[in-house]
Amino acid sequence: MKSIFKISLLIIVLLPLQSRAGWLITGRYIDREGNTIMKRYFIQDNEVKVEKYNLIYSCNLKTGNIILVDPVKLVYVKTTFTAYYEKMKAIKLRRLNELLALIPEEQKKEYESMYTAQVEQQLILPVLTYDSLIISQLPDSVKLLGRKTKKFVISDNGLKKEEFFYTNEVNIAPDMDFSTFMRFVYLLEPEDKTIKYQASGKYKELMKNGYVLRRFIFEEGYKSEWQVNNIEQKNIPAYEFMTPALCKELTLDKWLSSRKEVDDNYYDDYE
């Protein structure tokens, strides 16, 4: 009986040492103008931190908590998915009311209903069946970062949307709920127009057992590119997902008023 107790105690003590390592993924995004933007992901136990030159955000996919950091102005805000969504919804509806003042009275009700529904679709990732979406494997097979990859092409209504290289030698699914993370990205990075089809069942089915190491994205006659430069499985220190040192905390209202992209990405849809 004592030996069983000792073994059980030993297992409990060793559990933290045997915990699954997370992932550190570094890559570069080349936009349609040819600008290179470095980006890094920390992923572990459904906590994700995304770093780029003008924005850092950490998401706890289990609790919905978010930390947003402006690495240029050295300010940050702690919020939640729901609070951020509600605030952005209020901003968009306020803008809508300004535009409704310019619309003839007899048309206001129709436009208000239409745009209010549009607000929801722009903030909450819609569940689309994407029956017209086709993901096809091409015969190309190359090695990237020492891993075998297969090439796929995505098309929608016959229009090519993306080509990507996929490997099943990397699987981050145990550390990150892909569907939930897509909801955060859709809300926090509205400039990424690929999220809608990435959230489709066809795409998620493929991604559940592997990872994309390189993407070529085709949109409005332009091409952009994402390439993973380094990927490693390692334990991510807890402080990576905590509030940053040497930064000033802001309220959500002050954070949003200080971010120019609120105007650029959340208002243009009504112009």
Side-chain angles (χ1 to χ4, degrees), residues 80 91 144 154 224 237 271:
T80 65
I91 290 173
L144 295 175
I154 299 177
S224 54
E271 300 298 338

Side-chain angles (χ1 to χ4, degrees), residues 5-268:
F5 175 77
K6 288 180 180 179
I7 291 172
S8 301
L9 183 61
L10 182 63
I11 291 173
I12 293 171
V13 170
L14 291 177
L15 274 176
L17 300 177
Q18 297 173 338
S19 62
R20 185 178 61 247
W23 298 89
L24 176 58
I25 301 171
T26 305
R28 63 176 185 173
Y29 175 73
I30 303 175
D31 67 18
R32 58 175 64 184
E33 282 82 31
N35 301 311
T36 298
I37 301 168
M38 303 304 295
K39 204 167 185 179
R40 185 161 61 162
Y41 295 84
F42 298 82
I43 303 166
Q44 185 164 280
D45 192 25
N46 272 310
E47 289 192 88
V48 183
K49 178 181 176 182
V50 182
E51 290 184 346
K52 54 183 181 177
Y53 76 99
N54 64 344
L55 176 66
I56 300 171
Y57 64 89
S58 300
C59 306
N60 188 316
L61 306 183
K62 295 174 289 186
T63 65
N65 291 334
I66 299 173
I67 299 173
L68 297 155
V69 183
D70 186 326
V72 179
K73 298 178 181 177
L74 296 179
V75 294
Y76 75 95
V77 64
K78 294 175 67 176
T79 185
T80 65
F81 182 95
T82 300
Y84 193 92
Y85 157 72
E86 292 292 349
K87 186 63 66 174
M88 291 311 308
K89 182 179 179 180
I91 290 173
K92 292 172 77 69
L93 290 178
R94 186 165 64 244
R95 177 61 171 158
L96 169 60
N97 289 333
E98 293 172 4
L99 293 172
L100 285 174
L102 306 175
I103 295 175
E105 193 64 37
E106 65 275 10
Q107 298 179 16
K108 282 186 179 181
K109 190 172 183 179
E110 177 186 353
Y111 276 92
E112 183 176 12
S113 176
M114 180 174 63
Y115 284 129
T116 300
Q118 194 179 69
V119 164
E120 291 286 339
Q121 293 176 0
Q122 289 163 354
L123 297 175
I124 297 295
L125 183 59
V127 179
L128 302 174
T129 57
Y130 263 110
D131 294 332
S132 59
L133 193 73
I134 298 175
I135 304 177
S136 306
Q137 184 176 344
L138 300 177
D140 308 53
S141 179
V142 298
K143 269 197 169 186
L144 295 175
L145 301 178
R147 297 171 172 90
K148 294 179 181 178
T149 69
K150 300 173 184 178
K151 188 176 182 181
F152 290 81
V153 62
I154 299 177
S155 59
D156 186 21
N157 285 316
L159 185 66
K160 182 164 68 173
K161 308 289 286 185
E162 183 176 326
E163 292 178 356
F164 63 86
F165 290 89
Y166 166 91
T167 181
N168 55 14
E169 294 181 15
V170 173
N171 184 11
I172 67 172
D175 268 290
M176 185 182 78
D177 182 329
F178 182 79
S179 297
T180 301
F181 182 57
M182 288 297 97
R183 293 176 63 239
F184 280 83
V185 178
Y186 189 77
L187 182 66
L188 300 174
E189 297 191 69
E191 67 276 11
D192 188 344
K193 306 303 181 185
T194 70
I195 298 301
K196 282 187 179 181
Y197 65 74
Q198 286 190 69
S200 69
K202 295 175 184 178
Y203 191 93
K204 289 190 293 185
E205 180 65 23
L206 180 63
M207 291 303 112
K208 70 180 183 180
N209 294 315
Y211 195 72
V212 173
L213 296 180
R214 195 168 189 183
R215 307 170 65 199
F216 297 94
I217 302 157
F218 306 93
E219 184 181 13
E220 299 175 349
Y222 294 92
K223 183 175 80 170
S224 54
E225 177 185 345
W226 163 254
Q227 178 178 332
V228 175
N229 296 330
N230 189 53
I231 183 167
E232 54 183 316
Q233 192 168 19
K234 59 184 294 185
N235 286 312
I236 308 298
Y239 65 75
E240 289 290 357
F241 305 107
M242 295 180 178
T243 54
L246 306 178
C247 289
K248 178 184 177 182
E249 185 173 7
L250 299 180
T251 64
L252 184 53
D253 282 322
K254 288 186 177 179
W255 167 271
L256 291 174
S257 67
S258 72
R259 301 287 293 180
K260 185 178 182 296
E261 60 264 31
V262 171
D263 292 326
D264 294 342
N265 293 316
Y266 285 103
Y267 289 164
D268 287 351

